Amino acid sequence: MKKTKILKKIEPVFHQVFNNKKLKINYKSSPSTIKQWDSLATINLFIGIEKLLKIKFNVSELAAPKNVGEMIDIIIAKKN
Amino acid sequence: MDQFIEEKYQLRDSKINLKKKKSHAKSKIKIAILGGSTTDLIKNSLNEYLAMNNIEGIFFQSEYNQFYFESINPSRKLKTFKPQIIYIHSTTANIEEFPKIGSNPKQVGKLINKTFSKYKSIWSTLTKKFNCTIIQNNFEYVPFSSLGNLESTKVYGKINFLTKLNLKFFEQSDKIKNLIINDINLLSAKVGIDKWYNDSFYFNYKYTLSHEAIPTLSHNILKIIMSIIGKSKKCLVVDFDNTIWGGVVGEVGSDNIEIGNDTPRGEVFLRFQKYIHDLTLKGVILAGCTKNDYKNAISGLRNKSNFLQENDFSVIKANWKNKVENISSISKQLNIGLDSIVFIDDSNFERELVRSQLPAVEVPNIGEEPEKYIFHLDRAKYFENISLSKEDFTRSSYYKTNAKRESEKVKFKNYNNYLESLKMKTDLKKFEKKDINRITQLVNKTNQFNLTVKRLNLKEITSISKSSDFLTVAGNLKDKFGDNGLVTVVIGKIKKQTMDITVWLMSCRVFNRNLEFALFDCLINLCKSKGISTIYGNYIKSEKNMIVKDFYKTLGFKKIKGKKGLDKWEFEITKKYIKKNKIIKINNV
């Protein structure tokens, strides 16, 4: 799956977690660019993505990503 | 709205939902969560469940893993928060030291005591400082066992160790009335220990359980809280045909209904009946509601293979009226609110009808497979108790005798004659130690005849019973049909020559029996002996206590203030006071 396609697919999870349907995310989006992105939001994002894509992140995958781009890289690696 | 829905965890629209619900949230409750691991998602999930039940949760969370220090040395934040409930979310991950493999029983015993005393000091300090209810997790089993089965059998085995600790927790909870155990050992077994844990979440975020398990945990906490605030269900209404036995009795005849050990389906219904019977033993009132000729319904129940007997039911409505009408009349006859009732029926049509017409009644979707009925009823935990008293064990007999009283009533033309025929007696006494549990239960459960709906916990009631600033009366009511047990409670605060009634309540079992008048006569006597000349009465309006809005007026009080849901009433005691009760015989005033 392409990176852009996954970005589109997971965007609704961000909308729900941050309760903001207009929120635009890109590869650089991270806790430092989105104000309400705290550790609880991170967990909720992962739970949302796990459910949406029917995958499970392991310990190191969950620990690694620093921004949305890295998150998607992990998803791609998992899906392949 | 109370059903446990699998995967209930809906972080998605939780925020929107909460906003909507908040506007008509009826009661608020302050809960402090002191965690031995991360608790945010648990808080959120519990908050959602509370909102679904029209309760607004106000939360305090300790800093990460500070449950011990926050308990022993509460922060100012926690002190000003003044929790009504403290939930201690400690888990097996908080066990600092397990026995070394090969340790001797003495060494293990020492370690058990060391671990246990840590928790004991948490409970005693919190009780002393906050005087509130404590919900404490016990310990779940470890997911891996290097010792194999010996993990359970050897004294140094981890499961052996945890089991002993859990037993100590249970014993303590039986001794300390405000300590309630949240049995996560059972919950994790139900979820499955491998699904209960989630390594990614533990090692990254320090959650000691998976997000799939969190709703199970918070639902259980919700049910404990509901029980603490007296909102557990009281009455189970069951349909008969294809609900408690297989087949339609009116068609197949009482000998051919499926019940008993002869067929698999018969056994399924038998197991369900036994489960329901256990509920009645712990005080759940059972009622039948079936579309049948009365004769047929009863003949079905009289089939010898049934476990449930006719006299396990407090009321049976077997007729062709619609179930909405029948359930309303059950509620009236037993004098319990519709929101205390759970209705089960195999027919989706009946369930939908009741659900739409009587939204307060809980109608679980028990599905179409009889073997699953028990599962759906059980996991919703409608009838959770935080304690059981003598009154609970004998409750159903009160309601049965009440039904007899009702049938007697029609024989009399005049209600007073009927009351006289009951030969009622009451013991009105100040609060005694042996009654404190029952008094606490009444104070926290009574909704209708309750002038102030002031809730007090066991500790508060105990200290009131010992204080000379308070006048207390607790009363029972006996009659020729039986003993109703302790049913009425009054607490008055004495201030020089005046007394302010802060609590006056009476169980709905004994409405319209003149007990309130007997009690008032008794209060007047007590006041006279203490030199009190003025009694103040308070009425604080609630959802359900409209029935006593003008109670003080009936007694001859004058309204001196009335605003914002609080009416203040005044009564001057004069020599000319004429006794109001002429029917009930009063003992031991």
Side-chain angles (χ1 to χ4, degrees):
Chain A
M1 217 189 273
K2 270 192 188 155
K3 219 170 163 173
T4 46
K5 218 173 154 190
I6 294 181
L7 183 71
K8 254 221 146 74
K9 204 161 179 190
I10 63 173
E11 203 170 45
V13 178
F14 286 76
H15 293 165
Q16 281 146 351
V17 170
F18 296 114
N19 200 19
N20 177 0
K21 280 201 175 141
K22 285 178 195 144
L23 183 72
K24 284 267 169 261
I25 56 160
N26 56 45
Y27 302 141
K28 292 270 161 60
S29 299
S30 75
S32 48
T33 67
I34 297 176
K35 231 167 104 194
Q36 316 100 297
W37 191 334
D38 55 13
S39 61
L40 182 60
T42 310
I43 301 175
N44 282 337
L45 287 171
F46 275 119
I47 297 174
I49 293 170
E50 277 192 345
K51 277 194 181 163
L52 181 75
L53 303 177
K54 298 192 172 57
I55 50 173
K56 287 263 175 208
F57 296 106
N58 66 29
V59 174
S60 18
E61 287 162 349
L62 210 54
K66 286 174 190 61
N67 57 36
V68 171
E70 289 185 25
M71 247 180 192
I72 296 174
D73 290 338
I74 289 169
I75 295 169
I76 290 173
K78 266 196 108 64
K79 283 266 176 189
N80 285 333
Chain B
M1 281 300 285
D2 193 29
Q3 282 184 57
F4 184 86
I5 303 152
E6 213 143 5
E7 290 288 305
K8 178 49 218 65
Y9 183 70
Q10 303 170 327
L11 72 125
R12 259 125 237 128
D13 25 49
S14 65
K15 280 176 188 154
I16 310 153
N17 264 345
L18 282 184
K19 255 187 222 154
K20 244 190 259 163
K21 293 265 162 65
K22 235 175 201 168
S23 57
H24 39 107
K26 273 151 200 156
S27 43
K28 290 181 187 181
I29 189 145
K30 286 203 274 182
I31 304 163
I33 302 180
L34 312 185
S37 50
T38 322
T39 54
D40 300 283
L41 290 175
I42 300 168
K43 185 206 87 176
N44 290 356
S45 169
L46 177 58
N47 197 21
E48 265 184 62
Y49 273 128
L50 288 168
M52 285 167 76
N53 287 282
N54 275 329
I55 300 166
E56 189 187 336
I58 303 164
F59 289 92
F60 168 95
Q61 287 186 95
S62 70
E63 296 294 322
Y64 167 71
N65 198 11
Q66 292 300 302
F67 76 105
Y68 180 66
F69 297 103
E70 188 68 86
S71 309
I72 298 304
N73 193 7
S75 61
R76 182 175 305 160
K77 237 173 108 189
L78 179 57
K79 281 185 200 154
T80 47
F81 179 71
K82 291 197 184 112
Q84 292 160 284
I85 290 171
I86 295 178
Y87 168 50
I88 301 179
H89 178 63
S90 56
T91 61
T92 299
N94 299 109
I95 299 277
E96 283 155 14
E97 192 184 351
F98 277 105
K100 241 173 71 190
I101 294 176
S103 316
N104 65 38
K106 211 173 154 190
Q107 291 166 318
V108 177
K110 249 187 177 166
L111 192 56
I112 288 176
N113 283 338
K114 189 180 149 195
T115 314
F116 181 62
S117 65
K118 184 174 156 178
Y119 287 90
K120 226 176 140 180
S121 61
I122 289 177
W123 305 328
S124 65
T125 322
L126 288 178
T127 305
K128 226 179 280 160
K129 295 211 162 124
F130 297 104
N131 210 355
C132 69
T133 310
I134 302 167
I135 304 175
Q136 167 72 55
N137 287 350
N138 60 352
F139 298 106
E140 81 282 19
Y141 289 155
V142 284
F144 307 109
S145 31
S146 43
L147 285 174
N149 286 298
L150 298 185
E151 208 73 83
S152 308
T153 49
K154 291 291 178 192
V155 285
Y156 47 77
K158 293 189 182 68
I159 291 182
N160 190 297
F161 180 76
L162 293 170
T163 304
K164 281 177 182 151
L165 275 175
N166 281 347
L167 273 177
K168 281 180 107 66
F169 274 36
F170 297 152
E171 281 163 17
Q172 206 61 20
S173 146
D174 222 24
K175 275 187 219 153
I176 311 176
K177 295 293 172 203
N178 62 324
L179 176 66
I180 297 156
I181 301 297
N182 180 40
D183 190 355
I184 65 168
N185 192 29
L186 175 64
L187 296 179
S188 60
K190 286 198 173 200
V191 171
I193 203 94
D194 290 338
K195 281 190 190 149
W196 180 265
Y197 288 106
N198 179 324
D199 282 337
S200 302
F201 272 66
Y202 179 66
F203 289 108
N204 281 299
Y205 301 112
K206 293 289 172 282
Y207 276 95
T208 48
L209 69 167
S210 64
H211 60 84
E212 287 93 345
I214 286 175
T216 310
L217 174 75
S218 49
H219 182 258
N220 206 52
I221 302 167
L222 169 85
K223 290 298 159 163
I224 293 174
I225 293 174
M226 296 294 274
S227 176
I228 294 170
I229 60 178
K231 290 201 170 168
S232 286
K233 305 294 170 188
K234 295 175 184 159
C235 171
L236 178 66
V237 179
V238 297
D239 167 50
F240 284 178
D241 293 333
N242 287 318
T243 299
I244 61 166
W245 60 61
V248 177
V249 65
E251 286 170 16
V252 299
S254 62
D255 291 336
N256 297 317
I257 54 172
E258 288 177 283
I259 184 71
N261 287 320
D262 299 338
T263 64
R265 262 170 71 89
E267 271 190 87
V268 161
F269 286 109
L270 189 64
R271 176 180 73 169
F272 192 42
Q273 287 198 2
K274 284 180 179 167
Y275 179 86
I276 293 172
H277 188 255
D278 277 350
L279 291 178
T280 66
L281 291 182
K282 73 161 189 171
V284 174
I285 308 155
L286 181 63
C289 179
T290 170
K291 276 191 176 153
N292 257 317
D293 287 333
Y294 189 79
K295 213 179 70 196
N296 284 339
I298 296 299
S299 75
L301 265 186
R302 288 185 183 159
N303 178 318
K304 290 270 181 325
S305 301
N306 281 294
F307 195 81
L308 286 172
Q309 306 291 312
E310 216 175 318
N311 64 7
D312 290 320
F313 291 84
S314 296
V315 193
I316 295 172
K317 296 276 172 201
N319 53 43
W320 297 95
K321 287 184 205 161
N322 87 46
K323 299 217 170 180
V324 171
E325 209 176 309
N326 277 327
I327 292 173
S328 307
S329 102
I330 288 171
S331 147
K332 268 185 213 119
Q333 198 169 332
L334 295 172
N335 208 356
I336 53 170
L338 286 166
D339 61 355
S340 299
I341 293 177
V342 177
F343 170 59
I344 49 173
D345 196 311
D346 65 298
S347 150
N348 198 17
F349 168 81
E350 302 291 358
R351 291 200 299 259
E352 270 309 313
L353 181 73
V354 173
R355 223 174 259 147
S356 63
Q357 302 294 308
L358 304 171
V361 173
E362 201 63 59
V363 189
N365 196 353
I366 56 169
E368 275 125 38
E369 299 156 289
E371 64 270 32
K372 296 273 173 63
Y373 297 168
I374 188 171
F375 170 76
H376 292 292
L377 185 60
D378 186 73
R379 75 164 175 178
K381 301 176 178 146
Y382 294 120
F383 306 104
E384 182 72 26
N385 303 92
I386 50 166
S387 65
L388 286 173
S389 64
K390 203 179 80 202
E391 262 75 15
D392 294 309
F393 297 135
T394 47
R395 176 168 306 116
S396 50
S397 73
Y398 299 137
Y399 284 95
K400 267 170 250 159
T401 47
N402 243 0
K404 275 191 209 151
R405 285 179 196 106
E406 286 293 318
S407 62
E408 183 98 337
K409 202 154 112 185
V410 290
K411 290 190 207 155
F412 291 89
K413 280 187 198 131
N414 175 312
Y415 188 68
N416 265 346
N417 292 350
Y418 161 68
L419 286 182
E420 274 161 14
S421 80
L422 289 176
K423 304 204 181 344
M424 294 183 283
K425 283 180 203 158
T426 175
D427 299 291
L428 298 169
K429 304 175 291 192
K430 60 182 207 183
F431 293 0
E432 287 176 3
K433 205 175 161 201
K434 68 173 171 56
D435 295 327
I436 293 285
N437 272 334
R438 169 63 178 163
I439 291 167
T440 310
Q441 197 186 37
L442 272 178
V443 166
N444 291 298
K445 266 170 103 166
T446 310
N447 292 316
Q448 301 178 72
F449 196 113
N450 191 337
L451 273 305
T452 54
V453 200
K454 190 175 170 59
R455 308 299 193 195
L456 296 163
N457 64 33
L458 189 102
K459 290 255 155 191
E460 290 165 318
I461 291 176
T462 310
S463 70
I464 285 172
S465 74
K466 288 176 185 157
S467 163
S468 58
D469 296 338
F470 289 94
L471 189 153
T472 63
V473 184
N476 64 354
L477 186 67
K478 291 180 194 165
D479 64 26
K480 69 174 183 185
F481 291 109
D483 187 349
N484 290 283
L486 207 154
V487 285
T488 186
V489 169
V490 169
I491 298 173
K493 195 168 176 11
I494 303 169
K495 213 172 169 187
K496 289 176 186 162
Q497 274 91 50
T498 71
M499 181 179 76
D500 198 48
I501 301 175
T502 54
V503 174
W504 189 334
L505 59 86
M506 192 168 81
S507 162
C508 51
R509 259 184 238 155
V510 294
F511 280 7
N512 300 324
R513 306 271 293 272
N514 282 15
L515 182 59
E516 59 275 33
F517 300 124
L519 185 56
F520 190 60
D521 291 344
C522 161
L523 274 184
I524 298 289
N525 274 340
L526 287 170
C527 285
K528 278 182 179 166
S529 71
K530 287 185 190 294
I532 292 165
S533 55
T534 311
I535 302 179
Y536 293 108
N538 301 287
Y539 169 76
I540 299 174
K541 194 179 155 198
S542 82
E543 253 322 79
K544 293 183 179 171
N545 68 354
M546 284 308 283
I547 179 173
V548 287
K549 189 174 184 296
D550 291 317
F551 173 62
Y552 284 116
K553 192 173 166 188
T554 328
L555 290 178
F557 280 63
K558 272 188 206 118
K559 201 194 253 188
I560 50 173
K561 211 165 53 185
K563 61 172 181 186
K564 281 189 186 163
L566 167 75
D567 296 342
K568 193 121 197 147
W569 300 79
E570 187 184 65
F571 188 89
E572 297 286 347
I573 302 176
T574 58
K575 278 182 191 159
K576 285 184 282 179
Y577 179 79
I578 302 162
K579 285 209 167 153
K580 293 190 163 37
N581 158 58
K582 290 182 187 82
I583 295 171
I584 304 174
K585 201 179 149 208
I586 303 172
N587 302 323
N588 319 341
V589 178

